[in-house]
Amino acid sequence: MKTRQPASLTEEDIAAVRSWVIHEDAHIIAFNKPSGLSSQGGRIQAHTLDDLLWAFARSNGKRPELVHRLDRDTSGVILAAKTKPAAGFLGKAMQMRRFQKTYLALVSAVPEPKSGRITAALRREEIGRESYMRVVEFDAPGAQGAVSGYRTLASSEDGALVELSPETGRMHQLRVHMASIGRPLVGDVRYGGALTFAGRAAPRLMLHAAKLSFPHPEGGERVTLEATPPEDFMALAAAAGL
């Protein structure tokens, strides 16, 4: 856990990050991250969620530490550990695949079949300063096994609302897997998603981390946290009658 404080946060920054909290106890803190906010790093000279965690710094200079990441344009549940033991426990639980993540996404046509499991290996590739993932053969150099489940929750002439469940945690996994079955996510410029949906502009990648289930650092009891999708996601789904 870092002890150096970065660029100071404004009162607006602190109020914003506090307003996103959906669960907090002595060990963990969870947020409903807005779209457009990077989890960590990033080249954009703006605060990341990692920076904003300084709003919760304790008197000893320690602050919460993110346990996992979400893509910048993905909204929804993201978890941070408030202590070093909690961070270690959750890191191990994630390695042992004891985290269950459930996402909601919009696609422009109903998947065929309506539900299934995608097992396609992925490889990270660089083009200029951009990183992206590509489906490759399982025995290709650099290939990483990846598994995603999907099921259609609602459909209309305009498209479908799908629930996605990654069994592995590769970069951009859900986005690439859905594109690989011809159903790229609405607003996903990088992987071929439609930029309009139900006659409206898709302002961003329509992917929301709706639910996270994991063992709690104190006692290992499973905790399930949920986050409501943001207004832009709900509005596009409603426009399509989903």
Side-chain angles (χ1 to χ4, degrees):
M1 299 213 174
K2 303 173 199 166
T3 51
R4 181 182 59 81
Q5 182 142 355
S8 59
L9 304 181
T10 65
E11 286 183 18
E12 288 80 9
D13 290 333
I14 293 168
V17 71
R18 288 190 184 281
S19 76
W20 304 331
V21 174
I22 55 174
H23 175 88
E24 183 176 8
D25 60 38
H27 306 273
I28 57 176
I29 185 166
F31 304 87
N32 184 355
K33 184 187 86 66
S35 172
L37 176 71
S38 292
S39 298
Q40 290 175 312
R43 297 194 307 275
I44 298 167
Q45 292 302 306
H47 285 316
T48 63
L49 179 56
D50 202 39
D51 295 332
L52 294 172
L53 292 180
W54 285 103
F56 303 92
R58 301 198 301 280
S59 56
N60 63 2
K62 301 291 177 70
R63 54 157 197 147
E65 188 176 293
L66 289 176
V67 175
H68 60 117
R69 298 175 68 158
L70 290 176
D71 292 345
R72 188 168 70 91
D73 285 338
T74 304
S75 54
V77 184
I78 189 166
L79 183 65
K82 293 175 75 173
T83 66
K84 216 170 183 96
F89 175 91
L90 292 167
K92 282 186 186 134
M94 188 165 277
Q95 283 178 336
M96 294 168 69
R97 297 189 184 174
R98 295 190 64 203
F99 274 60
Q100 287 178 321
K101 301 175 183 177
T102 307
Y103 292 75
L104 295 174
L106 298 176
V107 291
S108 296
V110 183
E112 292 292 339
K114 284 190 171 183
S115 63
R117 205 158 164 264
I118 304 166
T119 56
L122 303 175
R123 179 171 65 204
R124 186 173 181 142
E125 303 196 345
E126 313 284 334
I127 288 195
R129 295 174 67 185
E130 296 293 330
S131 297
Y132 70 104
M133 299 296 267
R134 173 174 286 175
V135 172
V136 293
E137 295 297 326
F138 275 95
D139 56 359
Q144 296 180 307
V147 181
S148 305
Y150 73 89
R151 69 187 184 108
T152 302
L153 299 178
S155 60
S156 70
E157 289 181 2
D158 291 302
L161 171 68
V162 293
E163 180 185 275
L164 305 176
S165 307
E167 295 179 28
T168 50
R170 309 302 180 200
M171 183 181 90
H172 300 173
Q173 175 178 314
L174 296 174
R175 297 162 62 182
V176 181
H177 270 174
M178 290 305 288
S180 77
I181 63 166
R183 298 296 184 268
L185 305 188
V186 169
D188 192 354
V189 181
R190 185 169 300 193
Y191 297 110
L195 302 186
T196 58
F197 186 71
R200 297 187 180 198
R204 63 167 180 96
L205 169 70
M206 287 293 136
L207 181 62
H208 176 72
K211 188 157 69 173
L212 184 65
S213 179
F214 57 94
H216 193 279
E218 185 179 52
E221 291 290 317
R222 282 196 85 76
V223 179
T224 299
L225 303 177
E226 299 190 50
T228 309
E231 286 176 17
D232 58 356
F233 187 103
M234 301 290 272
L236 269 194
L242 301 171

